[in-house]
Amino acid sequence: MKTVSNKSNLEVLHEDNHLIVVNKRVGDLVQGDKTGDKPLAEVVKEYLKDKYNKPGEVFLGIVHRLDRPTTGIVVFAKTSKALTRMNELFSNRETRKTYWAVVKNQPENTQGQLVHYIKRNEKNNTSKAHKKEVPDSKLASLDYTVIKELQNYFALEINLHTGRHHQIRAQLAAIGCPIKGDLKYGFDRSNPDGGIHLHARKLSFTHPVSKESIIITAPVPNEVIWKAVVS
């Protein structure tokens, strides 16, 4: 059974005057959508309002997003200055993002680079990874390394070079290695909590205001297979 984040159980990984970084749970929606479910952004606002006893509205800027079934690092800005500068860091690819994924089937090589052309389908909210460029597609690139062989699965560490819609999910599916629980991209059954085994594990960047080097690591979910990856 999944436990979504609320202001009492919010897992804060880093906080300073300008940023707050949290460990997103399965089912957390980063930004509000048509479901009407309370987004993580609102939960973080409630947390800050309570913690600092703030009257009135709390400023919180969404720097980037993670898919709802994915877990791990999400960065929010507490000031407009930090929001503008963090947006620039992300759009200029001046951050280093590392993900962990648990997949079915072993990739052909224990490490390598995947380069595809991703085309998004707005109607069903999926993306397809093509070997060659097709109309309206965007170049997508990542590096992966097999970090652990499990009983029935393989754990990969992934470094993104581009930030395309469902990029990791689509590219791994394209090489016959769908992520555990990811029905949308070819895995044969869903996970009990409705999530997928994709975790935003690590993020490195230069702080937008203090200019210090920030490295954040998100603990994996408290779940049997993730525990096997880190054991």
Side-chain angles (χ1 to χ4, degrees):
M1 209 27 214
K2 68 184 175 194
T3 307
V4 294
S5 295
N6 58 56
K7 65 180 180 181
S8 307
N9 69 10
L10 191 69
E11 190 177 349
V12 178
L13 302 172
H14 171 90
E15 188 185 353
D16 58 47
N17 290 337
H18 294 277
L19 301 173
I20 180 166
V21 183
V22 302
N23 195 3
K24 178 189 169 310
R25 292 174 165 85
V26 164
D28 286 345
L29 184 66
V30 174
Q31 187 176 28
D33 68 1
K34 61 188 177 191
T35 62
D37 294 346
K38 182 188 283 189
L40 190 56
E42 286 304 314
V43 173
V44 176
K45 278 186 182 181
E46 288 176 0
Y47 167 86
L48 292 171
K49 194 174 172 69
D50 271 19
K51 181 176 179 180
Y52 299 105
N53 201 15
K54 283 181 175 262
E57 189 67 19
V58 172
F59 177 87
L60 193 77
I62 297 168
V63 174
H64 66 125
R65 294 157 189 76
L66 282 184
D67 299 337
R68 194 165 191 175
T70 305
T71 56
I73 294 169
V74 180
V75 182
F76 295 99
K78 292 164 66 176
T79 62
S80 55
K81 179 198 281 188
L83 178 61
T84 303
R85 292 182 184 177
M86 285 303 293
N87 283 339
E88 285 171 3
L89 286 181
F90 272 81
S91 64
N92 296 335
R93 297 180 197 155
E94 291 172 31
T95 60
R96 184 171 169 81
K97 301 179 214 170
T98 302
Y99 288 77
W100 281 3
V102 175
V103 301
K104 183 168 81 169
N105 304 325
Q106 185 169 11
E108 196 174 327
N109 302 304
T110 54
Q111 59 182 43
Q113 183 177 27
L114 300 184
V115 179
H116 291 94
Y117 290 88
I118 297 264
K119 182 167 182 176
R120 184 172 181 175
N121 182 331
E122 299 276 358
K123 275 187 183 170
N124 62 12
N125 193 36
T126 60
S127 286
K128 186 169 173 60
H130 298 267
K131 285 185 178 175
K132 294 182 178 176
E133 193 169 2
V134 298
D136 303 319
S137 63
K138 292 178 178 176
L139 181 69
S141 168
L142 60 80
D143 286 331
Y144 73 86
T145 304
V146 178
I147 54 170
K148 193 138 190 186
E149 194 171 327
L150 304 168
Q151 197 172 352
N152 299 306
Y153 306 104
F154 297 86
L156 311 184
E157 182 167 283
I158 294 147
N159 288 305
L160 279 179
H161 305 307
T162 53
R164 307 302 182 202
H165 177 257
H166 289 184
Q167 179 180 335
I168 297 173
R169 299 166 69 180
Q171 286 196 273
L172 291 179
I175 63 163
C177 300
I179 295 169
K180 185 179 182 300
D182 200 355
L183 292 177
K184 223 173 211 186
Y185 288 93
F187 198 81
D188 48 14
R189 62 188 183 281
S190 59
N191 288 338
D193 62 3
I196 64 174
H197 277 70
L198 179 61
H199 182 66
R201 171 69 171 173
K202 195 172 176 182
L203 180 67
S204 312
F205 58 94
T206 300
H207 193 284
V209 181
S210 71
K211 303 303 177 189
E212 66 183 306
S213 176
I214 305 287
I215 301 171
I216 297 164
T217 303
V220 295
N222 183 19
E223 181 270 344
V224 176
I225 289 173
W226 279 125
K227 282 182 178 174
V229 174
V230 294
S231 66

